[in-house]
């Protein structure tokens, strides 16, 4: 339970934590708050594994507490869970003692994430937030196009399967507009069928990442296109 988990963390700092949210005595949210309140455990990578239906306010709370990944119980098979845990503890222990210094910026960049799945939004935001950029969110292709015109982000992460307007159609629309055409777009897709990459790139995407997302690959491409 939460009390026992906190006692373990105080005795021996782990390389990573897989945390349930619904536990007796002290729930996962309280455990996370206490872990983040101590300097020595403030940046331990945390993966949330839960069957709980997460509300919008709870997602915001998890994001603010630097949760690296969130997996709904039953949504991932054994191999996916193992891969997630391996990514969780991939950071060398000596880098967990203090936060890495962020590069100096003249001003924060702005990234628009167009993604309809709330769990994916939380995971992606946790990966890219350390870049020090402002993260904007659109939940469908039509909203993504409208927000791009209004906010003019420096980079767009565009899911392929979106309601109201598909990712490919949204990319085509943005690339036809002279004002938004220069904005780089990284397409995100869960499909791995032959020809997907070619179709997405032909629509005008500047780059491509397949799901499940590799955090290192995503960070590398974000840095590349953000300059």
């Amino acid at each position: 339970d939460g009390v026992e988990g906190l006692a373990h963390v105080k005795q021996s700092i782990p390389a990573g934590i897989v945390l349930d949210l619904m536990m007796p005595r002290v729930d996962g949210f309280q455990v996370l708050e206490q872990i983040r309140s101590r300097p020595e455990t403030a940046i331990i990578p945390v993966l949330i594994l839960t069957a709980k239906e997460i509300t919008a306010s709870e997602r915001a709370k998890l994001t603010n507490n630097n949760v690296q990944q969130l997996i709904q119980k039953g949504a991932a098979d054994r191999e996916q869970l193992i891969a997630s845990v391996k990514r969780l503890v991939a950071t060398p222990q000596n880098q967990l003692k203090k936060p890495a210094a962020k590069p100096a910026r003249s001003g924060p960049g702005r990234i628009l994430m167009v993604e309809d799945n709330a769990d994916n939004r939380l995971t992606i935001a946790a990966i890219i937030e350390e870049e020090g950029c402002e993260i904007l969110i659109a939940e469908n292709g039509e909203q993504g196009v409208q927000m791009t015109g209004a906010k003019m982000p420096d980079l767009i992460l565009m899911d392929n399967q979106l309601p109201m307007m598909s990712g490919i159609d949204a990319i085509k629309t943005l690339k036809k507009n002279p004002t938004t055409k220069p904005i780089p777009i990284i397409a995100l897709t869960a499909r791995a069928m032959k020809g997907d990459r070619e179709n997405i790139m032909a629509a005008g995407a500047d780059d491509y990442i397949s799901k499940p997302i590799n955090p290192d690959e995503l960070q590398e491409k974000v840095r590349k296109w953000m300059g």
Side-chain angles (χ1 to χ4, degrees), residues 172-182:
K172 288 179 179 178
T173 300
L174 292 171
K175 291 302 184 180
K176 285 179 182 177
N177 185 330
T179 303
T180 57
K181 182 178 180 180

Side-chain angles (χ1 to χ4, degrees), residues 26-220:
V26 177
D27 66 23
F29 292 103
Q30 295 172 298
V31 171
L32 187 60
E33 291 281 354
Q34 292 194 42
I35 289 171
R36 293 304 186 222
S37 68
R38 298 175 58 208
E40 61 270 32
T41 58
I43 58 171
I44 293 177
V46 174
L47 183 157
I48 299 295
L49 181 63
T50 183
K52 176 178 172 57
E53 291 295 327
I54 310 297
T55 66
S57 62
E58 288 171 338
R59 290 182 191 281
K61 187 183 296 185
L62 294 176
T63 300
N64 291 336
N65 278 297
N66 194 25
V67 170
Q68 270 68 34
Q69 300 177 67
L70 184 148
I71 297 177
Q72 292 287 150
K73 290 182 179 179
D77 59 25
R78 182 176 183 276
E79 288 72 22
Q80 290 172 322
L81 181 58
I82 291 174
S84 295
V85 172
K86 286 182 177 179
R87 288 197 300 270
L88 188 75
V89 298
T91 304
Q93 190 70 22
N94 60 4
Q95 293 184 16
L96 295 175
K97 295 179 180 177
K98 59 181 180 180
K102 293 182 179 179
R105 293 181 182 271
S106 57
R110 180 177 287 176
I111 299 175
L112 172 62
M113 184 198 320
V114 189
E115 169 63 68
D116 63 320
N117 183 284
D119 291 339
N120 289 343
R121 291 198 298 267
L122 178 63
T123 299
I124 294 170
I127 294 171
I128 65 176
E129 67 180 0
E130 68 181 59
E131 303 306 314
C133 299
E134 178 185 0
I135 301 174
L136 307 174
I137 295 175
E139 298 183 6
N140 59 66
E142 188 174 291
Q143 186 181 34
V145 171
Q146 294 173 351
M147 192 173 291
T148 299
K151 300 293 186 179
M152 293 301 292
D154 301 292
L155 175 66
I156 300 171
L157 304 178
M158 180 76 72
D159 186 33
N160 188 32
Q161 301 295 318
L162 292 168
M164 300 183 69
M165 178 186 288
S166 71
I168 287 182
D169 287 340
I171 292 170
K172 288 179 179 178
T173 300
L174 292 171
K175 291 302 184 180
K176 285 179 182 177
N177 185 330
T179 303
T180 57
K181 182 178 180 180
I183 301 174
I185 300 175
I186 301 177
L188 312 175
T189 179
R191 300 179 64 189
M193 295 175 64
K194 184 177 181 180
D196 278 354
R197 179 184 177 91
E198 290 73 15
N199 291 336
I200 290 171
M201 300 303 285
D206 299 277
D207 214 329
Y208 172 101
I209 296 178
S210 60
K211 297 179 181 179
I213 290 173
N214 181 305
D216 293 335
E217 180 186 15
L218 178 57
Q219 286 180 330
E220 179 182 346

